[in-house]
Structures are given as C-alpha cells and as structure tokens.
C-alpha cells in the first residue's frame, strides 16, 4: 500500500516570495512521483514528475521539485510566486509495475494563497 | 488536440436515485481512471479501465460501477445515491503505465439532496 502526506494544508505567501510545499510518501515498492495543480473549478494539471535519474526535476511555470529517496520526500519549490499561482497543489505517487495499470495515490493537498 | 471531456458538468440528484457520468478521453488514450474529490476525504481513486477491462479498483462500495466502450469512452454509475456521494468526480485518461501523465477533465460536480 502507498500513502502520501502533504505536511501543510495551507500556505500563505506574498507575491514574488519563494514557496516550498512539502510532500512525504510511503511505499513498499518503487514509485513514480508527481505534482499536480488544481485551479478553482478545474481539473488537475501536471506540473512535473519524477521517474528516475536526476533527483532535481524542473516543471512548468517555474516550478521544480527534488526527490530524496532516503527521506522519502518530494518537495515542490518556486523561487518567486505570482498571483496566478494561487491554487491547490497535490502530490501523488503511482507504482512502477507497468502491467498493473494506472492508479494515482494523492496527498491531501496544499492550498497556496498568494497575497499582493 | 481535444482534452478530456466530462459530461455533464453539474448534476443535482435526490437521495436514492442513480446517476451516470460520462468521460471521453484524449484520442489515442486507452486508459481511463475515475477519482472522487471531497473536502473531507480528498482525492480518492475509484477505478481504472483499459481496453474495456477494469484493471484497478479502489475501496468504494459496489454502488459505484463503471464501464468502458470500444472507443475508450467511459461511464461511471452510482446507484442508490447517498448524501455523502456529493463530490466532484474527475476522469483522467492516459497511455498505459504508472509512469505516464494522467490528463484530467474538468469534472462533474454531483450534489445529492
């Protein structure tokens, strides 16, 4: 079984300040890691994903995340946020058993509120 | 190319009724997954279909069911609706494999009264 914990349910941040959203996971098998963003009344959009290789992953809209296997973490960062980054962010994992299909396990989400 | 299309966008049903939600995946995607999103439980996996076969199933009662057609379009059905079934139901399509990106629709907002 897999689980994902997002340590902060809400993160207020001022415009142009940096932000870090924390994500820890637990799994008995190797996993793939994802960050998705959800804007109000919308579905989810992929920001970035870690499959293998370099532990620093760059995504869309200036976001990046670092995979730390020893700490089972996959924290998301952005050096300078904009008002338009106000949204809910979800960390998710899926396992690497390709034949087993597509199933994402999500964390509880982190609401980011960017203040002017 | 067209994204994932879910219909209807909004739905109000009465407790005890049943409901069918529809999802049209991105062209070429044969895997379709369904998720329930509520404020209390967050995003929870319902089930996944690939080539008309259910490959994965989440921990939901048998009132929740789904199917997939030969053109990869999928439907999910909830029978005997309960107030707690009120949620945003999201459909995602992808290529097969846990390493692929899931593309989500805008969801169907179901309200049970």
């Amino acid at each position: 079984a897999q689980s994902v914990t997002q340590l902060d349910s809400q993160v207020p941040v001022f415009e142009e300040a940096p932000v870090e959203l924390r994500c820890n996971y637990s799994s008995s098998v190797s996993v793939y890691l994802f960050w998705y963003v959800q804007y109000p009344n919308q579905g989810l959009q992929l920001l970035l994903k870690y499959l293998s290789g370099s532990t620093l992953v760059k995504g869309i809209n200036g976001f990046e995340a670092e995979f730390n296997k020893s700490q089972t973490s996959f924290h998301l960062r952005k050096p300078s946020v904009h008002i338009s980054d106000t949204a809910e962010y979800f960390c998710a994992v899926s396992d690497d058993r390709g034949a087993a299909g597509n199933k994402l396990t999500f964390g509880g989400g982190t609401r980011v509120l960017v203040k002017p | 190319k067209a994204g994932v299309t879910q219909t209807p966008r909004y739905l109000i049903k009465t407790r005890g009724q049943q409901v069918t939600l529809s999802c049209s995946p991105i062209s070429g995607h044969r895997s379709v997954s369904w998720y329930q999103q509520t404020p209390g439980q967050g995003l929870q996996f319902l089930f996944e279909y690939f080539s008309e076969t259910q490959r994965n199933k989440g921990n939901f009662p048998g009132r929740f069911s789904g199917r997939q057609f030969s053109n990869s379009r999928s439907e999910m059905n909830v029978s005997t609706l309960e107030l707690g079934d009120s949620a945003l139901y999201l459909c995602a399509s992808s290529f097969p494999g846990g390493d692929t990106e899931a593309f989500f629709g805008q969801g169907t907002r179901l309200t049970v009264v």
Side-chain angles (χ1 to χ4, degrees):
Chain A
Q2 300 158 348
S3 67
V4 179
T5 302
Q6 292 184 240
L7 297 162
D8 306 295
S9 60
Q10 293 187 65
V11 173
V13 58
F14 286 105
E15 194 173 16
E16 298 184 5
V19 70
E20 178 179 81
L21 308 184
R22 297 178 293 169
C23 171
N24 287 88
Y25 69 93
S26 173
S27 177
S28 56
V29 299
S30 296
V31 296
Y32 301 118
L33 296 151
F34 304 82
W35 275 99
Y36 282 86
V37 61
Q38 186 177 35
Y39 299 103
N41 298 315
Q42 298 291 321
L44 278 69
Q45 178 184 6
L46 181 69
L47 282 175
L48 47 77
K49 62 183 178 182
Y50 174 79
L51 305 181
S52 65
S54 173
T55 57
L56 183 62
V57 180
K58 293 190 182 299
I60 62 170
N61 301 338
F63 284 93
E64 63 181 31
E66 185 152 21
F67 170 61
N68 187 316
K69 187 173 182 179
S70 62
Q71 297 187 5
T72 60
S73 68
F74 190 53
H75 301 334
L76 180 72
R77 302 184 186 96
K78 185 169 183 178
S80 175
V81 296
H82 302 292
I83 295 289
S84 59
D85 292 322
T86 294
E88 189 157 20
Y89 294 78
F90 293 92
C91 181
V93 302
S94 70
D95 67 46
D96 68 351
R97 298 171 298 155
N102 299 15
K103 175 187 173 183
L104 289 166
T105 300
F106 286 92
T110 298
R111 289 186 183 274
V112 173
L113 176 60
V114 181
K115 304 177 180 180
Chain B
K1 57 184 176 183
V4 178
T5 303
Q6 291 188 246
T7 56
R9 287 292 311 279
Y10 301 92
L11 208 49
I12 299 175
K13 288 287 188 179
T14 302
R15 193 170 48 182
Q17 288 185 313
Q18 76 165 15
V19 68
T20 299
L21 312 182
S22 180
C23 173
S24 293
I26 289 172
S27 178
H29 287 182
R30 293 163 61 195
S31 171
V32 175
S33 301
W34 289 89
Y35 294 84
Q36 182 196 64
Q37 185 177 23
T38 61
Q41 299 298 317
L43 278 156
Q44 294 187 286
F45 173 80
L46 280 156
F47 29 66
E48 183 226 0
Y49 286 87
F50 177 75
S51 292
E52 303 177 64
T53 301
Q54 188 181 86
R55 287 202 300 186
N56 278 301
K57 189 176 189 307
N59 189 25
F60 278 81
R63 301 186 296 107
F64 291 82
S65 63
R67 58 178 177 169
Q68 186 179 36
F69 302 95
S70 58
N71 62 358
S72 295
R73 189 177 70 85
S74 178
E75 289 181 345
M76 67 163 283
N77 184 277
V78 188
S79 63
T80 319
L81 284 165
E82 301 177 359
L83 296 179
D85 297 333
S86 294
L88 180 67
Y89 290 89
L90 291 165
C91 166
S93 77
S94 65
F95 294 112
D99 60 340
T100 62
E101 176 181 355
F103 291 82
F104 285 81
Q106 291 187 298
T108 294
R109 173 76 61 186
L110 172 65
T111 302
V112 182
V113 297

